[in-house]
Each structure stands twice: as C-alpha cells, then as structure tokens.
Amino acid sequence: SPAPSVYLGTLQILHLLEDLKIALEMLEDPQEKEALRSQIPGATAMCIREWFEENLVNLHSSMNNETYQERLARLEGDKESLILQVSVLTDQVEAQGEKIRDLEICLEGHQLKLNATEEMLQQELLSRTSLETQKLDLMAEVSDLKIKLVGMEKEQSEYEEKQNKAESLLQELRHLKIKVEELENERNQYEWKLKATKVSRIFGNFPADDLGLAEFRRGGLRATAGPRLSRSKETKGQKSDYNAPFAQWGTERVCNWLEDFGLGQYVIFARQWVSSGHTLLTATPQDMEKEMGIKHPLHRKKLVLAIKSINAKQDEKSAQLDHIWVTRWLDDIGLPQYKDQFHESRVDGRMLQYLTVNDLLFLKVTSQLHHLSIKCAIHVLHVNSFNPHCLRRRPVDENNVSPSEVVQWSNHRVMEWLRSVDLAEYAPNLRGSGVHGGLIILEPRFNGDTLAMLLNIPPQKTLLRRHLTTNFNVLIGPEAQQEKREIMESTAYTPLTTTAKVRPKKLGFSHFGNLRKKKFDESTDYICPMDTNPGATNGTQKNYGGYKGLSPFTDRELDKLDQMEHSEGTVMQIGALSQGINNLTNMLSQDEMLNDSRFLTPTFEDWR
C-alpha cells in the first residue's frame, strides 16, 4: 500500500541523514570533506540545499522575532502561572475533599434516618394490622351489643307493661284501702250497736246512755259510790230538728257528722265523751287529743278548723271540697306521689286554705319546688273561690292562648302543650314534677331553663333548649316574661333546682318541754296566705286576667324554704324524740283509761 511505502521512505531518509551527519563528523580533513562534496551530483546537492534553506529560513525568522532571554522570561512566567494554577487547583481539590467528607457524613446520617424510618414503617404496618384486628373485634362486639340492645328494649317494653299493670293494681289497692277504712268504720259502729243492744236486753228498757257505755266523762261519780247519775235524754223534738244549731246536736248526730267528715275512726271515743255539739265547740285541741284519742296533728287541725268555722258562722266554699277531691287535685297539679299522705291525713279544701309549711313537712313534702307548686295551685283556688272545676285538663285552642288561661292549666294540659310544640318525647318527664299552669305563670323564678331541667333535656342540645325557651316565652306572654327577666337580673336571684329542700325551723332541746304547752293554733305561716291588701306583699304585683302574680319569697319565707344543708340529722333526732314522746303519751293515756275502766260498767266481753 502507498502509506507504508511512504512511511518507510521517510525512515530511510532520516537514517541516511543521521549516517551523513556521522560520516561528516568522522571526516576531520577539510580536503576530504571537499572531495566528498565534489562527488555529489549537482541536482542532488541543489535539492538538499533548497530543502535546508527552507528550514533555515523558518528558524531565522523565529529567532529574529524572539530572543532567547525573552523566550526564557516568557517560559518563567508561564511556569509561575502554572504553579499558581496548580496551588489554586490544589486548594479547590482540598475544599472539594472536605465537601465530599461532609457529604459522606450527611449521607451516613440520612442512611441512619432511612433505617429508622423503615423500622417505624414496619412498626406502623404491624400496628395497623393490630388495629384492623381490633376493629373487627369491636365490630363484632357492636353487633353483639345491638342484639343485646334489642333484647333489652323488648325487656323494657315488657317492664313498662308490668309497671303500668302495677300502677293500676296500686290504684285499685288504694281504692280498696279506702273501702276497707269505710268498712272498718261501719264495723266499729255495728259493734257498738251490738254491744248496746245486748246490754239493753240484760237491763231491760234502760237506755244505753244510762249504763255508761256511750257516755263517760272524767270526774263523774264512781259506780260503787251510789246510784249513777246520767245525762238527761234528748227530747224527741231535738232529734228530729235538723235545723238546730251545732251546739244542740245530740251525740248520735255529732258522731254521724264525724263519720261524714272523714274522722270515723274516733267515733267510739266520741260516743263516750261528747254529750252534745256544745262539747266540741268548747273543747280545746288538748281535750280532743286526751278524750277522743286524736293523736294525728292534721286530724286535730281538721276538726279545730271545722269547729272554728261553725263558731264564726262562716260559710267557706273551701269546706265543700272533701279529702277525696284533694287527692284528685294532687293528680291535676302533677304531685300524685303525695296522695297517700294527704288521704291518710284527711286533708280537705279548708285545710288547703290554712295549710302551713310545717304541715307540708309533716306530709313528707320536702322539695322546695313542690312547695312552690302547691303554693301556686292554692293561689289559683283562692282566685277561683275554690271552684272544684277551675283547672283545665284538655286543650281548646292551641293557637289562641292567653296567660289567664295558662294559669289554670293542669299538669296533663302542660304535657299536651309540649306535644303541640314537637316535644312529645320529653312530655312524660313532667309526671310527678309538680309543673302546672299556676307554677309556670305565677312563680317568677320558673323560666325556660327550669322547664328544660325538669324535662331532662341535655345542656348540649342548645337548639332544642332554644326552641323550648322561645315557645315558653310566647306561652307566658310579655308581662310575665318581663317579670321573670327582672327577677333573673336581680342580685338575690337563685335558680330553682330539683334538689333544693325545705329546711324546718331549728329547735333547741330546751324547747321540747314547752312544745305540748303551746297552743295548737299558734302557727300561722300559711303556705299561701291570701292577703287582701295588695301593697302588703313584697315585690311587684302583676295581673294575669284577674290573677295576682306571686312575688318572690320575702326574707322570712326564704328562711323557711332554704336548701337543707346539715339539718337532716337534726330532723331525724327531732322525729325520733317526738316519736318517743308520742309513745309515752299513748302509754300514759292507756294507763289512765285502764284505771278508769274499773269504775265503768262491765264491757261487752264480760257480758258475753
């Protein structure tokens, strides 16, 4: 190929030139050098000369442009610049090395973080797996609880049915109790008549009164002291004259009056002590307790009030309401839980009119809210002249209701109103709460929050409570709303609660010796006094269609109706001590009766 041949020719030329140089250096004799030169052909010499001249021209031109010293200086400068560049590059290399070491350290730290993150990820995966397992377990438990809830709801419905049946049975038992009491009174009367009949058969035509069975008064003559002096017999005209004054009533008529009055259990003792109506008119409460055995304070008060009314010749409309009506009235005002106590105490309309705080405490009414409920309900009776049908039990027109109508609402009517404002699910909570129209309108401290508390509406249900408050304010009207707002803004305002109790008056033990010496009619702290002077009461007076709103309690009433703090133990001690006193009194009275029975004629058991 051409390229290798050219390359070989070039090498040969170089070798030849080197050989020529060596041969020329070996020839020291100039003649020999000249003879050798003369032997070279002219063309060859010319070609070599031209080739050398060209190279020599280039060499001389470069040498002409730059001297040796300049070139050396230039080269020294290049050397220094190269040394400087090398030092800069060395510094840069060291800096880059430090950065590389820092990056390696960061890389190790990130590697550690990466490893920790991977471990956390593994733990999170394990935790999520356990949470998923727990979730499945909880879902299984929720399903089991739902099944149990369905079963409990079924049991609750069955329990409510049983409770309703039990309430109906309890109501029947109450009616049966009343009937048993009536039958007991009839049995006592029949036994007395049978006793008198047998005695009259033995003694012939002597009346039973002459034998001392029906009448016996302490201080009379003993049977062994001589002939027994009996009372003069009632004339035929007196027995038939039912228009005669009470003082002229005979024994039998007084006893019949006691039975109709609801105190038939004391007829036996009354036949032995009462000679005429004048005996009761002149008797003191102590005489009634001693001679007729009336230990029950409210039975005694009932009889004293009736005799006072007869003495004063007052025709009170409250006297037309018997104790059976009062038990129905308790249903209407939402306090049926006290029906047994009121029925046992024979509380009638007249006693409601003169009911005191101590009487309510004796009837086991200790809740402050229930005291206020009874107070407002009695106030409504006062305003309506003790009309037995003044309370409204059924709705007439829900869209046109005035406060003068609301004040006459019964507890059931209030529940009907709750149903009309879409609160039917909370309406049953008002049973036994004592909420009625009179309490809503006439008690200034009774507001929407109080009603929400009694309905058991949770505080977190703000929208529901706001809905109730709005409808409550529309119901009571702007006048009552303004009065309640003024009371709430006063500094002495205390909200009503279901736990507030009425505190009885504190009595020292030094007072117990004087308790039985006090008059029985001393207490005049009536639960609802009817003051004829409008300015006599404390606070503002509002009119609601003829109703005077009950003002907040005075300081005296607040002392009575304060929350019970630490008086329960004192009350229990007083109750226990009072019970002991009553037992001792009963024992003493029985002892006196046994001692006096030795001077009486033989009893029915002896004659039998």
Side-chain angles (χ1 to χ4, degrees):
S1 64
S5 62
V6 172
Y7 178 73
L8 293 175
T10 302
L11 291 177
Q12 289 178 359
I13 290 172
L14 291 175
H15 289 299
L16 289 176
L17 287 176
E18 290 294 331
D19 294 337
L20 177 63
K21 176 184 176 183
I22 294 170
L24 290 176
E25 289 177 351
M26 293 177 64
L27 291 178
E28 296 179 354
D29 187 7
Q31 294 178 359
E32 291 180 359
K33 292 181 179 178
E34 185 66 26
L36 180 62
R37 186 179 60 180
S38 62
Q39 292 179 5
I40 297 171
T44 304
M46 186 60 70
C47 180
I48 293 172
R49 181 180 178 181
E50 289 177 0
W51 180 68
F52 277 114
E53 286 180 353
E54 288 178 1
N55 292 334
L56 289 174
V57 170
N58 292 334
L59 179 62
H60 284 290
S61 64
S62 61
M63 290 178 65
N64 292 329
N65 293 331
E66 183 180 11
T67 63
Y68 175 78
Q69 293 294 332
E70 290 176 352
R71 184 178 180 187
L72 182 62
R74 182 176 60 82
L75 291 175
E76 288 291 335
D78 293 339
K79 177 181 177 182
E80 291 178 357
S81 63
L82 288 175
I83 292 171
L84 181 62
Q85 289 179 3
V86 168
S87 64
V88 171
L89 290 175
T90 303
D91 294 337
Q92 290 179 355
V93 168
E94 290 179 356
Q96 293 295 328
E98 292 179 356
K99 290 182 179 180
I100 290 172
R101 286 192 294 272
D102 294 337
L103 289 175
E104 289 178 351
I105 294 172
C106 291
L107 180 62
E108 291 178 358
H110 287 295
Q111 188 66 33
L112 294 175
K113 292 181 181 180
L114 178 62
N115 295 334
T117 305
E118 290 179 352
E119 291 180 359
M120 291 177 61
L121 179 61
Q122 293 294 332
Q123 294 177 359
E124 185 69 21
L125 291 175
L126 294 175
S127 176
R128 182 172 296 181
T129 304
S130 63
L131 288 176
E132 290 291 338
T133 306
Q134 293 178 4
K135 178 181 177 181
L136 295 176
D137 295 338
L138 289 175
M139 291 177 64
E141 291 181 2
V142 167
S143 61
D144 294 338
L145 289 175
K146 287 182 178 179
I147 296 172
K148 291 181 180 179
L149 179 61
V150 173
M152 291 180 68
E153 289 178 351
K154 185 177 180 181
E155 292 179 358
Q156 183 180 4
S157 61
E158 294 176 355
Y159 173 75
E160 289 178 353
E161 292 179 359
K162 291 179 181 179
Q163 186 177 6
N164 294 332
K165 292 180 181 179
E167 289 178 355
S168 61
L169 289 175
L170 183 60
Q171 191 70 20
E172 292 179 0
L173 287 175
R174 288 173 181 169
H175 292 305
L176 289 175
K177 182 180 178 182
I178 296 172
K179 292 181 180 179
V180 167
E181 289 178 355
E182 294 175 354
L183 292 174
E184 184 70 21
N185 294 333
E186 293 179 1
R187 183 180 66 81
N188 293 334
Q189 186 176 1
Y190 175 75
E191 287 181 354
W192 178 85
K193 290 180 179 179
L194 180 61
K195 183 177 181 181
T197 302
K198 290 189 176 183
V199 172
S200 63
R201 287 179 183 176
I202 295 174
F203 286 92
N205 294 326
F206 288 100
D209 292 349
D210 293 341
L211 299 176
L213 292 174
E215 300 292 340
F216 176 76
R217 287 185 292 179
R218 301 186 186 278
L221 297 175
R222 295 187 179 182
T224 57
R228 180 176 295 107
L229 300 177
S230 64
R231 300 188 322 275
S232 61
K233 292 176 57 180
E234 295 177 352
T235 62
K236 187 175 183 180
Q238 288 175 334
K239 291 183 178 180
S240 60
D241 188 11
Y242 282 94
N243 294 323
F246 185 82
Q248 298 178 10
W249 284 11
T251 303
E252 191 63 30
R253 188 174 178 188
V254 171
C255 292
N256 291 335
W257 175 75
L258 285 173
E259 289 184 359
D260 295 337
F261 199 51
L263 299 177
Q265 61 266 43
Y266 305 110
V267 168
I268 298 177
F269 294 103
R271 293 185 190 279
Q272 298 178 8
W273 178 60
V274 176
S275 60
S276 64
H278 181 72
T279 306
L280 288 180
L281 290 177
T282 58
T284 63
Q286 291 87 345
D287 294 334
M288 296 176 185
E289 180 180 1
K290 183 178 180 181
E291 303 296 342
M292 295 179 62
I294 305 179
K295 307 295 183 183
H296 199 293
L298 294 184
H299 291 176
R300 200 162 51 241
K301 180 175 182 176
K302 179 184 177 78
L303 186 55
V304 169
L305 289 176
I307 293 173
K308 277 187 177 181
S309 178
I310 293 172
N311 274 329
K313 297 181 180 179
Q314 296 177 350
D315 187 14
E316 296 176 329
K317 293 186 178 180
S318 60
Q320 299 175 5
L321 308 178
D322 59 4
H323 62 280
I324 302 298
W325 179 89
V326 171
T327 57
R328 295 196 299 268
W329 174 76
L330 288 172
D331 275 326
D332 289 336
I333 66 173
L335 296 174
Q337 60 268 38
Y338 302 115
K339 289 169 66 175
D340 290 340
Q341 293 92 314
F342 274 70
H343 181 269
E344 182 182 354
S345 300
R346 297 296 190 271
V347 178
D348 55 11
R350 184 188 287 114
M351 292 184 69
L352 287 180
Q353 188 174 358
Y354 298 100
L355 203 63
T356 65
V357 175
N358 290 332
D359 293 338
L360 283 182
L361 292 175
F362 182 82
L363 291 167
K364 300 180 182 179
V365 184
T366 59
S367 172
Q368 185 185 94
L369 186 63
H370 293 172
H371 273 245
L372 293 173
S373 175
I374 294 175
K375 176 176 183 175
C376 295
I378 295 175
H379 185 84
V380 173
L381 289 176
H382 272 296
V383 175
N384 289 275
S385 302
F386 284 86
N387 179 7
H389 307 292
C390 63
L391 293 182
R392 301 184 180 182
R393 300 175 178 85
R394 291 290 180 268
V396 178
D397 186 7
E398 291 286 358
N399 297 324
N400 188 14
V401 178
S402 63
S404 59
E405 296 174 345
V406 175
V407 77
Q408 293 180 302
W409 280 8
S410 66
N411 178 261
H412 184 269
R413 179 66 183 86
V414 176
M415 289 194 287
E416 290 293 332
W417 171 76
L418 287 172
R419 294 185 179 95
S420 68
V421 295
D422 300 328
L423 293 173
E425 59 179 316
Y426 297 100
N429 294 333
L430 283 189
R431 295 193 183 115
S433 64
V435 176
H436 54 86
L439 180 66
I440 291 175
I441 298 295
L442 301 176
E443 172 50 45
R445 292 189 295 166
F446 192 95
N447 49 34
D449 293 335
T450 309
L451 184 59
M453 173 190 66
L454 294 173
L455 291 174
N456 293 330
I457 299 178
Q460 58 268 23
K461 293 189 176 182
T462 54
L463 293 179
L464 195 61
R465 281 180 168 248
R466 190 181 306 165
H467 170 72
L468 174 63
T469 303
T470 302
N471 287 277
F472 180 84
N473 293 334
V474 173
L475 180 69
I476 64 177
E479 193 172 359
Q481 185 178 352
Q482 179 63 25
E483 182 182 8
K484 295 178 186 293
R485 187 181 297 111
E486 292 174 357
I487 295 298
M488 291 178 63
E489 292 174 355
S490 64
T491 56
Y493 169 74
T494 54
L496 294 176
T497 62
T498 56
T499 57
K501 302 294 182 182
V502 176
R503 182 174 60 192
K505 291 182 178 179
K506 295 182 180 180
L507 296 175
F509 289 99
S510 60
H511 295 152
F512 284 104
N514 300 324
L515 285 179
R516 300 184 66 82
K517 297 179 183 179
K518 290 184 178 180
K519 295 182 180 180
F520 284 79
D521 55 352
E522 268 188 359
S523 179
T524 58
D525 53 338
Y526 301 125
I527 188 69
C528 183
M530 197 62 180
D531 194 351
T532 58
N533 183 12
T537 56
N538 180 28
T540 58
Q541 296 290 342
K542 304 292 181 183
N543 294 324
Y544 306 108
Y547 287 84
K548 279 184 180 180
L550 294 179
S551 300
F553 286 144
T554 60
D555 294 338
R556 178 172 176 267
E557 289 173 325
L558 285 174
D559 289 338
K560 297 173 188 174
L561 299 181
D562 198 4
Q563 292 188 1
M564 184 178 293
E565 298 172 352
H566 53 271
S567 61
E568 294 184 357
T570 305
V571 172
M572 294 176 65
Q573 293 178 2
I574 292 174
L577 188 55
S578 177
Q579 185 68 28
I581 292 173
N582 290 334
N583 294 335
L584 288 174
T585 306
N586 293 333
M587 292 172 63
L588 289 174
S589 61
Q590 291 175 4
D591 187 39
E592 290 176 1
M593 291 179 61
L594 288 174
N595 291 334
D596 293 334
S597 65
R598 292 179 297 180
F599 307 111
L600 293 172
T601 55
T603 60
F604 173 71
E605 294 294 330
D606 295 330
W607 288 112
R608 190 172 65 177

